[in-house]
Amino acid sequence: MELKITRVKTSKELPDDSKLGFGQIFTDHMFNMDYTPESGWHNARIEPYAPIVMDPATMVLHYGQAIFEGLKAYRTTNGKIQLFRPDRNMARLNRSAQLVCIPKIDEGFVLHALKKLISMDKAWVPKAPETSLYIRPTIVAMDPYLGVRPSHTYRFFIILSPVGAYYPEGFNPVKIWVTDQYVRAVKGGLGEAKTPANYAASLYGAEVAKKAGYTQVLWLDAVEHRYIEEVGTMNILFVINGEIVTPPLKGSILAGITRDSVLTLARHWNIPVTERPITINEVISAHKDGSLQEIFGSGTAAVISPVSHLAWQGEVLTIADGRVGPMAQKFYNAITDIQYGRAEDPFGWVVPVEEEE
Ligand SMILES: *Cc1c(COP(=O)(O)O)cnc(C)c1O
Protein backbone atom coordinates (compact mmCIF):
# COMPACT_ATOMS: atom_id res chain seq x y z
CA MET A 1 0.00 0.00 0.00
CA GLU A 2 1.13 3.52 -0.75
CA LEU A 3 1.83 5.87 2.17
CA LYS A 4 0.89 9.49 1.44
CA ILE A 5 2.76 12.17 3.31
CA THR A 6 1.67 15.72 4.12
CA ARG A 7 4.06 17.69 6.31
CA VAL A 8 3.10 20.42 8.78
CA LYS A 9 3.84 23.97 7.68
CA THR A 10 5.22 25.04 11.03
CA SER A 11 6.29 22.75 13.83
CA LYS A 12 4.85 23.14 17.34
CA GLU A 13 7.21 24.24 20.09
CA LEU A 14 9.24 21.34 21.46
CA PRO A 15 8.76 20.68 25.20
CA ASP A 16 11.54 20.78 27.80
CA ASP A 17 12.78 17.17 28.09
CA SER A 18 13.35 17.46 31.82
CA LYS A 19 9.74 18.52 32.55
CA LEU A 20 7.75 15.92 30.64
CA GLY A 21 4.77 14.22 32.24
CA PHE A 22 2.71 11.46 30.64
CA GLY A 23 0.36 11.66 27.68
CA GLN A 24 -0.33 15.38 27.57
CA ILE A 25 1.80 16.59 24.68
CA PHE A 26 1.49 15.33 21.11
CA THR A 27 3.86 15.62 18.18
CA ASP A 28 3.46 17.39 14.83
CA HIS A 29 2.19 14.44 12.78
CA MET A 30 -0.09 11.43 13.03
CA PHE A 31 -0.78 8.34 10.94
CA ASN A 32 -4.29 7.75 9.61
CA MET A 33 -5.87 4.95 7.59
CA ASP A 34 -9.50 4.10 6.79
CA TYR A 35 -11.43 0.87 6.35
CA THR A 36 -14.46 0.22 4.21
CA PRO A 37 -15.80 -3.20 3.18
CA GLU A 38 -15.24 -2.27 -0.51
CA SER A 39 -11.66 -1.06 -0.26
CA GLY A 40 -10.39 -2.78 2.91
CA TRP A 41 -7.75 -0.73 4.74
CA HIS A 42 -6.85 2.15 2.44
CA ASN A 43 -5.85 5.80 2.25
CA ALA A 44 -2.81 5.35 4.51
CA ARG A 45 -1.37 8.75 5.24
CA ILE A 46 0.88 10.68 7.56
CA GLU A 47 -0.43 14.19 8.05
CA PRO A 48 -0.47 17.03 10.57
CA TYR A 49 -1.82 16.02 14.00
CA ALA A 50 -5.47 17.08 14.00
CA PRO A 51 -8.84 16.38 15.66
CA ILE A 52 -11.06 13.67 14.22
CA VAL A 53 -14.45 15.06 13.29
CA MET A 54 -17.22 12.60 14.07
CA ASP A 55 -20.95 12.38 13.57
CA PRO A 56 -22.57 12.21 17.04
CA ALA A 57 -24.01 8.82 16.01
CA THR A 58 -20.53 7.34 15.35
CA MET A 59 -20.66 3.78 16.68
CA VAL A 60 -17.51 3.88 18.79
CA LEU A 61 -19.08 6.61 20.94
CA HIS A 62 -22.09 4.43 21.75
CA TYR A 63 -20.94 0.83 21.76
CA GLY A 64 -17.24 1.11 22.51
CA GLN A 65 -15.98 -0.91 19.57
CA ALA A 66 -12.34 0.15 19.79
CA ILE A 67 -8.89 -1.26 20.46
CA PHE A 68 -5.48 0.23 21.10
CA GLU A 69 -1.82 -0.46 21.77
CA GLY A 70 0.92 1.16 23.81
CA LEU A 71 4.64 1.01 23.05
CA LYS A 72 7.62 3.33 23.12
CA ALA A 73 10.50 4.60 21.03
CA TYR A 74 13.76 5.13 22.91
CA ARG A 75 16.71 7.43 22.27
CA THR A 76 19.84 5.30 22.69
CA THR A 77 23.07 6.42 24.32
CA ASN A 78 24.58 6.96 20.86
CA GLY A 79 21.66 9.16 19.78
CA LYS A 80 19.82 6.61 17.62
CA ILE A 81 16.11 5.82 17.94
CA GLN A 82 14.80 2.31 18.51
CA LEU A 83 11.60 0.42 19.25
CA PHE A 84 11.19 -2.49 21.69
CA ARG A 85 9.45 -5.61 20.33
CA PRO A 86 7.00 -3.61 18.15
CA ASP A 87 6.10 -6.76 16.18
CA ARG A 88 4.47 -8.03 19.39
CA ASN A 89 2.31 -4.94 19.69
CA MET A 90 1.19 -5.28 16.07
CA ALA A 91 0.33 -8.95 16.60
CA ARG A 92 -1.56 -8.15 19.80
CA LEU A 93 -3.49 -5.38 18.04
CA ASN A 94 -4.72 -8.00 15.58
CA ARG A 95 -5.59 -10.38 18.41
CA SER A 96 -7.61 -7.62 20.10
CA ALA A 97 -9.19 -6.82 16.71
CA GLN A 98 -10.49 -10.37 16.39
CA LEU A 99 -12.10 -10.24 19.85
CA VAL A 100 -14.16 -7.13 19.07
CA CYS A 101 -14.88 -7.87 15.37
CA ILE A 102 -12.53 -5.24 13.94
CA PRO A 103 -10.88 -6.11 10.59
CA LYS A 104 -7.20 -7.02 10.82
CA ILE A 105 -4.40 -4.73 9.77
CA ASP A 106 -1.27 -5.58 7.79
CA GLU A 107 1.24 -5.71 10.66
CA GLY A 108 4.30 -5.22 8.46
CA PHE A 109 2.83 -2.23 6.68
CA VAL A 110 1.71 -0.52 9.89
CA LEU A 111 5.15 -1.02 11.44
CA HIS A 112 6.70 0.49 8.32
CA ALA A 113 4.33 3.49 8.57
CA LEU A 114 5.08 3.85 12.29
CA LYS A 115 8.83 3.99 11.65
CA LYS A 116 8.28 6.63 8.98
CA LEU A 117 6.07 8.66 11.36
CA ILE A 118 8.68 8.53 14.12
CA SER A 119 11.47 9.48 11.74
CA MET A 120 9.46 12.54 10.62
CA ASP A 121 8.89 13.55 14.26
CA LYS A 122 12.33 12.46 15.47
CA ALA A 123 12.97 15.85 17.10
CA TRP A 124 10.21 14.89 19.55
CA VAL A 125 12.01 11.75 20.83
CA PRO A 126 13.31 13.15 24.12
CA LYS A 127 16.95 12.86 25.17
CA ALA A 128 16.85 13.27 28.98
CA PRO A 129 17.54 10.06 30.98
CA GLU A 130 14.72 7.49 31.03
CA THR A 131 12.40 9.61 28.85
CA SER A 132 10.79 8.16 25.72
CA LEU A 133 8.26 8.69 22.96
CA TYR A 134 5.02 6.93 23.83
CA ILE A 135 3.17 5.49 20.82
CA ARG A 136 -0.59 4.97 20.78
CA PRO A 137 -2.02 3.02 17.81
CA THR A 138 -5.85 2.98 17.97
CA ILE A 139 -8.73 1.62 15.86
CA VAL A 140 -12.29 2.90 16.27
CA ALA A 141 -15.68 2.00 14.72
CA MET A 142 -16.84 4.82 12.45
CA ASP A 143 -20.34 4.00 11.09
CA PRO A 144 -22.85 6.72 12.01
CA TYR A 145 -25.50 4.26 13.19
CA LEU A 146 -27.48 3.65 16.38
CA GLY A 147 -27.90 -0.07 16.37
CA VAL A 148 -25.80 -2.82 17.90
CA ARG A 149 -23.69 -4.71 15.36
CA PRO A 150 -20.05 -4.54 14.27
CA SER A 151 -19.35 -1.34 12.34
CA HIS A 152 -18.69 -1.54 8.59
CA THR A 153 -16.16 1.30 8.58
CA TYR A 154 -13.17 2.05 10.81
CA ARG A 155 -10.43 4.59 11.39
CA PHE A 156 -6.93 3.53 12.41
CA PHE A 157 -4.64 6.22 13.79
CA ILE A 158 -1.29 6.45 15.55
CA ILE A 159 -0.38 9.40 17.76
CA LEU A 160 2.94 10.06 19.52
CA SER A 161 3.59 11.65 22.89
CA PRO A 162 6.97 12.47 24.46
CA VAL A 163 6.87 11.20 28.07
CA GLY A 164 9.01 11.79 31.13
CA ALA A 165 10.87 9.36 33.36
CA TYR A 166 8.38 7.20 35.23
CA TYR A 167 10.58 7.26 38.32
CA PRO A 168 12.31 10.68 38.29
CA GLU A 169 13.52 10.17 41.88
CA GLY A 170 14.38 6.51 41.54
CA PHE A 171 12.19 3.46 41.99
CA ASN A 172 9.02 4.19 43.91
CA PRO A 173 7.14 1.15 45.29
CA VAL A 174 3.35 1.22 45.01
CA LYS A 175 0.57 0.39 47.46
CA ILE A 176 -1.99 -1.99 46.06
CA TRP A 177 -5.54 -2.71 47.10
CA VAL A 178 -6.94 -6.19 46.45
CA THR A 179 -10.67 -6.26 45.81
CA ASP A 180 -13.15 -9.10 46.12
CA GLN A 181 -16.02 -6.75 45.42
CA TYR A 182 -15.35 -5.29 41.99
CA VAL A 183 -14.22 -7.21 38.91
CA ARG A 184 -12.46 -6.16 35.73
CA ALA A 185 -12.96 -8.99 33.26
CA VAL A 186 -14.30 -12.50 33.05
CA LYS A 187 -13.15 -15.49 30.99
CA GLY A 188 -14.98 -15.50 27.69
CA GLY A 189 -15.17 -11.71 27.87
CA LEU A 190 -12.73 -9.02 26.78
CA GLY A 191 -9.98 -9.34 29.39
CA GLU A 192 -7.52 -10.53 26.79
CA ALA A 193 -8.15 -7.57 24.47
CA LYS A 194 -6.58 -4.13 24.82
CA THR A 195 -9.92 -2.38 24.59
CA PRO A 196 -11.35 0.71 26.33
CA ALA A 197 -14.18 -1.33 27.91
CA ASN A 198 -11.74 -2.98 30.32
CA TYR A 199 -10.56 0.40 31.50
CA ALA A 200 -14.10 1.70 31.93
CA ALA A 201 -14.84 -1.40 34.02
CA SER A 202 -11.85 -0.67 36.27
CA LEU A 203 -12.53 3.00 37.06
CA TYR A 204 -15.00 2.69 39.91
CA GLY A 205 -12.97 0.12 41.88
CA ALA A 206 -9.83 2.19 41.32
CA GLU A 207 -11.54 5.30 42.75
CA VAL A 208 -12.58 3.36 45.85
CA ALA A 209 -8.97 2.18 46.23
CA LYS A 210 -7.67 5.74 45.82
CA LYS A 211 -9.97 7.04 48.56
CA ALA A 212 -8.47 4.39 50.84
CA GLY A 213 -4.95 5.59 49.96
CA TYR A 214 -3.94 3.00 47.37
CA THR A 215 -2.55 3.72 43.91
CA GLN A 216 -3.70 0.60 42.08
CA VAL A 217 -6.16 -2.27 42.29
CA LEU A 218 -5.19 -5.92 42.08
CA TRP A 219 -8.07 -7.72 40.40
CA LEU A 220 -9.12 -11.23 41.33
CA ASP A 221 -10.98 -13.64 39.04
CA ALA A 222 -14.57 -12.60 38.47
CA VAL A 223 -16.15 -15.94 39.41
CA GLU A 224 -14.60 -17.15 42.68
CA HIS A 225 -12.83 -13.93 43.73
CA ARG A 226 -9.80 -16.01 44.75
CA TYR A 227 -7.38 -16.24 41.83
CA ILE A 228 -5.06 -13.35 41.14
CA GLU A 229 -5.45 -11.78 37.72
CA GLU A 230 -3.57 -8.53 37.10
CA VAL A 231 -3.39 -4.85 38.01
CA GLY A 232 -5.30 -3.52 35.00
CA THR A 233 -2.44 -1.58 33.43
CA MET A 234 0.20 -4.10 34.49
CA ASN A 235 0.65 -7.82 34.89
CA ILE A 236 1.67 -9.07 38.33
CA LEU A 237 4.53 -11.34 39.43
CA PHE A 238 5.39 -12.86 42.81
CA VAL A 239 8.75 -14.10 44.07
CA ILE A 240 8.14 -17.00 46.44
CA ASN A 241 11.09 -19.03 47.74
CA GLY A 242 13.28 -17.77 44.89
CA GLU A 243 10.73 -18.78 42.24
CA ILE A 244 8.81 -16.36 40.05
CA VAL A 245 5.10 -17.15 40.00
CA THR A 246 2.63 -15.34 37.73
CA PRO A 247 -0.95 -16.10 36.65
CA PRO A 248 -1.26 -17.94 33.32
CA LEU A 249 -2.75 -16.30 30.21
CA LYS A 250 -6.12 -17.99 30.21
CA GLY A 251 -8.42 -15.49 28.60
CA SER A 252 -9.18 -12.87 31.23
CA ILE A 253 -5.83 -11.09 31.50
CA LEU A 254 -3.78 -9.20 28.95
CA ALA A 255 -0.71 -10.87 27.47
CA GLY A 256 1.77 -8.18 28.49
CA ILE A 257 4.91 -7.82 26.41
CA THR A 258 6.86 -6.67 29.47
CA ARG A 259 5.56 -9.79 31.29
CA ASP A 260 6.91 -11.93 28.46
CA SER A 261 10.24 -10.07 28.54
CA VAL A 262 10.59 -10.68 32.30
CA LEU A 263 9.77 -14.39 31.92
CA THR A 264 12.19 -14.74 28.97
CA LEU A 265 15.00 -13.06 30.94
CA ALA A 266 14.28 -15.18 34.02
CA ARG A 267 14.51 -18.39 31.97
CA HIS A 268 17.69 -17.07 30.32
CA TRP A 269 19.19 -16.56 33.80
CA ASN A 270 17.96 -19.95 35.05
CA ILE A 271 15.64 -18.41 37.60
CA PRO A 272 12.72 -20.79 38.17
CA VAL A 273 9.49 -19.48 36.61
CA THR A 274 5.98 -20.89 36.89
CA GLU A 275 2.88 -19.63 35.13
CA ARG A 276 0.07 -21.05 37.20
CA PRO A 277 -3.10 -20.01 38.97
CA ILE A 278 -2.28 -18.42 42.34
CA THR A 279 -4.86 -17.48 44.96
CA ILE A 280 -4.79 -14.45 47.22
CA ASN A 281 -4.79 -16.87 50.17
CA GLU A 282 -1.58 -18.47 48.95
CA VAL A 283 0.03 -15.02 48.77
CA ILE A 284 -1.15 -14.20 52.30
CA SER A 285 0.19 -17.48 53.72
CA ALA A 286 3.49 -17.11 51.85
CA HIS A 287 3.78 -13.69 53.47
CA LYS A 288 2.99 -15.17 56.90
CA ASP A 289 5.57 -17.97 56.63
CA GLY A 290 8.20 -15.63 55.22
CA SER A 291 8.53 -17.27 51.77
CA LEU A 292 7.02 -14.29 49.89
CA GLN A 293 10.06 -12.23 48.92
CA GLU A 294 8.79 -9.73 46.35
CA ILE A 295 5.77 -8.61 44.36
CA PHE A 296 6.08 -6.45 41.26
CA GLY A 297 4.01 -5.35 38.28
CA SER A 298 5.17 -5.26 34.65
CA GLY A 299 4.03 -2.96 31.87
CA THR A 300 5.35 -0.66 29.16
CA ALA A 301 4.80 2.62 31.05
CA ALA A 302 6.68 1.79 34.28
CA VAL A 303 8.54 -1.33 33.04
CA ILE A 304 8.70 -2.78 36.57
CA SER A 305 6.63 -1.50 39.46
CA PRO A 306 7.61 -2.91 42.87
CA VAL A 307 4.76 -3.37 45.35
CA SER A 308 5.39 -2.24 48.93
CA HIS A 309 1.97 -2.85 50.47
CA LEU A 310 -0.95 -5.14 49.74
CA ALA A 311 -4.32 -4.49 51.39
CA TRP A 312 -6.75 -7.39 51.61
CA GLN A 313 -9.88 -7.68 53.77
CA GLY A 314 -8.78 -5.09 56.27
CA GLU A 315 -5.25 -6.42 56.61
CA VAL A 316 -2.21 -4.61 55.20
CA LEU A 317 0.85 -6.66 54.29
CA THR A 318 4.22 -4.96 53.98
CA ILE A 319 6.16 -6.60 51.16
CA ALA A 320 9.98 -6.85 51.15
CA ASP A 321 10.08 -4.41 54.12
CA GLY A 322 8.53 -1.79 51.83
CA ARG A 323 11.70 -1.57 49.77
CA VAL A 324 12.60 -2.42 46.19
CA GLY A 325 13.55 -6.09 45.98
CA PRO A 326 16.64 -7.37 44.13
CA MET A 327 14.61 -9.21 41.45
CA ALA A 328 12.52 -6.13 40.61
CA GLN A 329 15.71 -4.09 40.34
CA LYS A 330 17.46 -6.72 38.22
CA PHE A 331 14.62 -6.98 35.67
CA TYR A 332 14.18 -3.21 35.54
CA ASN A 333 17.88 -2.69 34.84
CA ALA A 334 18.13 -5.46 32.27
CA ILE A 335 15.07 -4.38 30.28
CA THR A 336 15.79 -0.64 30.32
CA ASP A 337 19.46 -1.29 29.43
CA ILE A 338 18.32 -3.12 26.29
CA GLN A 339 15.67 -0.47 25.49
CA TYR A 340 18.16 2.40 25.74
CA GLY A 341 20.94 0.54 23.96
CA ARG A 342 23.17 0.40 27.05
CA ALA A 343 23.42 -3.39 26.85
CA GLU A 344 23.60 -6.11 24.20
CA ASP A 345 20.23 -7.42 23.00
CA PRO A 346 20.64 -11.21 22.83
CA PHE A 347 16.94 -11.72 22.01
CA GLY A 348 16.55 -9.56 18.89
CA TRP A 349 14.06 -7.33 20.71
CA VAL A 350 15.14 -3.92 19.50
CA VAL A 351 14.16 -2.55 16.09
CA PRO A 352 15.97 0.53 14.82
CA VAL A 353 14.09 3.48 13.33
CA GLU A 354 15.90 4.72 10.24
CA GLU A 355 16.09 8.47 10.54
CA GLU A 356 15.40 10.81 7.67
CA GLU A 357 17.99 13.38 6.76
C1 LIG B 1 -1.22 -2.80 28.26
C2 LIG B 1 -1.65 -3.61 29.42
C3 LIG B 1 -0.74 -4.34 30.22
C4 LIG B 1 0.77 -4.28 30.02
O1 LIG B 1 1.17 -4.80 28.79
P1 LIG B 1 2.61 -4.43 28.20
O2 LIG B 1 2.60 -5.03 26.84
O3 LIG B 1 3.61 -5.05 29.10
O4 LIG B 1 2.69 -2.95 28.20
C5 LIG B 1 -1.26 -5.13 31.24
N1 LIG B 1 -2.58 -5.20 31.47
C6 LIG B 1 -3.48 -4.52 30.73
C7 LIG B 1 -4.92 -4.65 31.02
C8 LIG B 1 -3.04 -3.70 29.70
O5 LIG B 1 -3.94 -3.00 28.97
Side-chain angles (χ1 to χ4, degrees):
M1 200 186 324
E2 195 204 340
L3 180 60
K4 265 181 297 179
I5 291 175
T6 313
R7 286 172 199 274
V8 288
K9 292 212 175 65
T10 44
S11 175
K12 296 181 221 170
E13 199 182 319
L14 289 175
D16 178 345
D17 276 10
S18 63
K19 296 203 181 86
L20 293 168
F22 187 91
Q24 291 155 307
I25 297 167
F26 301 96
T27 67
D28 285 330
H29 298 93
M30 68 188 293
F31 171 75
N32 281 304
M33 179 164 77
D34 301 308
Y35 182 92
T36 58
E38 307 76 51
S39 311
W41 285 111
H42 67 287
N43 195 15
R45 60 212 189 265
I46 293 173
E47 55 197 353
Y49 186 98
I52 298 174
V53 178
M54 283 186 183
D55 189 291
T58 302
M59 288 185 79
V60 66
L61 302 176
H62 303 272
Y63 310 115
Q65 196 193 6
I67 53 174
F68 67 92
E69 267 305 323
L71 67 160
K72 286 171 166 180
Y74 306 85
R75 176 83 64 179
T76 68
T77 33
N78 60 11
K80 296 226 175 343
I81 299 170
Q82 62 189 27
L83 295 160
F84 183 72
R85 312 187 77 183
D87 49 312
R88 289 293 188 119
N89 294 92
M90 296 305 152
R92 189 170 66 188
L93 187 64
N94 269 340
R95 172 71 188 134
S96 299
Q98 189 184 348
L99 290 165
V100 296
C101 304
I102 287 176
K104 292 197 173 168
I105 49 124
D106 176 337
E107 296 169 26
F109 174 77
V110 169
L111 185 52
H112 158 76
L114 171 61
K115 288 181 190 168
K116 180 72 188 166
L117 175 64
I118 296 167
S119 76
M120 285 171 61
D121 281 346
K122 66 180 177 192
W124 292 84
V125 184
K127 297 187 174 73
E130 313 296 304
T131 59
S132 56
L133 185 72
Y134 187 77
I135 301 160
R136 171 53 58 88
T138 307
I139 305 180
V140 296
M142 289 296 283
D143 285 7
Y145 175 64
L146 293 187
V148 180
R149 57 150 173 80
S151 179
H152 300 315
T153 59
Y154 297 88
R155 165 75 71 92
F156 180 126
F157 60 88
I158 305 176
I159 54 176
L160 308 175
S161 174
V163 298
Y166 203 85
Y167 300 112
E169 276 122 36
F171 249 166
N172 197 8
V174 293
K175 293 172 72 178
I176 285 194
W177 191 74
V178 189
T179 175
D180 56 1
Q181 198 178 355
Y182 307 104
V183 297
R184 170 189 170 270
V186 64
K187 274 195 190 77
L190 293 177
E192 214 178 67
K194 219 169 169 71
T195 185
N198 290 328
Y199 286 82
S202 75
L203 294 176
Y204 190 78
E207 283 304 298
V208 174
K210 259 184 212 133
K211 286 205 183 86
Y214 292 84
T215 23
Q216 307 255 20
V217 176
L218 178 59
W219 304 99
L220 301 181
D221 78 277
V223 178
E224 296 181 53
H225 306 294
R226 291 198 312 136
Y227 294 99
I228 297 201
E229 298 247 302
E230 61 156 295
V231 184
T233 55
M234 293 191 297
N235 295 108
I236 190 100
L237 301 101
F238 301 85
V239 184
I240 303 174
N241 266 334
E243 179 185 46
I244 296 172
V245 181
T246 195
L249 305 174
K250 284 199 312 196
S252 54
I253 68 176
L254 195 86
I257 295 159
T258 319
R259 173 189 181 277
D260 183 78
S261 305
V262 168
L263 299 185
T264 303
L265 278 166
R267 288 175 180 129
H268 184 69
W269 292 332
N270 291 317
I271 297 170
V273 172
T274 315
E275 294 173 71
R276 63 163 171 88
I278 175 167
T279 62
I280 183 66
N281 289 332
E282 181 183 342
V283 173
I284 306 288
S285 21
H287 182 261
K288 295 234 158 85
D289 70 21
S291 57
L292 176 67
Q293 296 159 304
E294 292 182 42
I295 305 180
F296 55 88
S298 70
T300 295
V303 187
I304 298 293
S305 199
V307 176
S308 60
H309 297 86
L310 205 65
W312 166 244
Q313 293 184 336
E315 221 184 319
V316 183
L317 314 187
T318 303
I319 314 300
D321 298 323
R323 289 196 290 266
V324 177
M327 287 269 207
Q329 188 73 58
K330 191 172 158 78
F331 287 114
Y332 179 83
N333 292 349
I335 293 171
T336 55
D337 283 352
I338 293 174
Q339 289 169 336
Y340 288 95
R342 297 185 293 249
E344 282 294 303
D345 166 25
F347 309 104
W349 284 343
V350 300
V351 173
V353 174
E354 302 298 332
E355 295 179 52
E356 313 190 301
E357 291 316 310

